[in-house]
């Protein structure tokens, strides 16, 4: 029986917290320096050159390499607008993928995004699950058909005590034959 440690689990919050005045790539370098420093005690120091292959791969995989030098910006301050909401979500995923987790948990990853950006984020999850054998669990409300079709397993939770509000817990992983739907 295998037990997951905190190093094996990544969590993406519904509301991200980024430094608005640094770039996307600086955000990832900072996260890598802080994360990898504690996860691998055998490595004495990290520098940009040693982290570059990992960060470049994540930028490409999450389709945000074109904004690598853009300021993250703030969602609350229109005068300090940076990257889009969908790009922020993908940056949050990249930040968590630095530690190469086995399980990714996401709290409403499509919340606040338009239909196009929501589909992009869910497509990224689908690709990560397929390409990296990563299990992904996320909550989402009212997924569109295009998002629904990306899922491997679905658990629907409903509570009549919450104004008949439907909460859908979507589980995406690479353990199922995708040819059978």
């Amino acid at each position: 029986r295998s037990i997951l440690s905190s190093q094996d689990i990544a969590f993406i919050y519904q509301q991200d917290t980024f430094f608005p005045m640094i770039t996307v790539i600086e955000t990832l370098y900072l996260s890598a320096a802080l994360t990898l420093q504690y996860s691998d005690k055998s490595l004495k120091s990290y520098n940009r050159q040693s982290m570059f292959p990992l960060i470049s791969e994540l930028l490409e995989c999450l389709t945000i390499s074109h904004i690598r030098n853009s300021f993250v910006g703030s969602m609350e301050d229109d005068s300090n607008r940076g990257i889009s909401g969908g790009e922020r979500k993908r940056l949050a995923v990249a930040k968590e993928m630095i530690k190469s987790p086995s399980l990714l948990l996401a709290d409403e990853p499509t919340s606040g995004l338009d239909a196009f950006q929501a589909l992009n984020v869910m497509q990224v999850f689908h690709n990560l699950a397929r390409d990296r054998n990563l299990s992904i669990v996320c909550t989402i409300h009212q997924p569109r058909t295009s998002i629904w079709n990306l899922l491997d397993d679905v658990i629907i939770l409903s509570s009549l005590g919450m104004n008949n509000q439907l909460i859908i817990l979507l589980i995406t992983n690479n353990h199922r034959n995708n040819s059978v739907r």
Side-chain angles (χ1 to χ4, degrees), residues 20-75:
M21 299 307 290
I22 64 175
T23 65
V24 167
I25 199 155
E26 290 168 335
T27 298
L28 293 177
Y29 277 125
L30 177 62
S31 181
L34 295 173
T35 302
L36 298 176
Q37 171 183 342
Y38 296 105
S39 66
D40 190 348
K41 300 292 185 193
S42 66
L43 297 172
K44 299 295 182 214
S45 67
Y46 286 91
N47 58 44
R48 284 183 179 242
Q49 187 176 357
S50 66
M51 292 184 247
F52 184 77
L54 171 65
I55 290 174
S56 291
E57 178 191 0
L58 287 171
L59 289 168
E60 289 295 323
C61 175
L62 298 170
T63 65
I64 54 174
S65 60
H66 65 286
I67 59 161
R68 69 178 45 214
N69 295 316
S70 299
F71 286 103
V72 174
S74 171
M75 294 300 285

Side-chain angles (χ1 to χ4, degrees), residues 62 85-90 93 109-110 113 115-128 147 150:
L62 298 170
E87 291 164 341
R88 289 178 78 87
K89 288 289 185 187
R90 294 195 305 273
V93 173
T110 60
L113 302 179
F116 177 75
Q117 292 292 356
L119 179 59
N120 281 345
V121 167
M122 293 306 291
Q123 184 67 54
V124 162
F125 283 166
H126 178 78
N127 293 342
L128 285 171
I147 290 176
L150 294 172

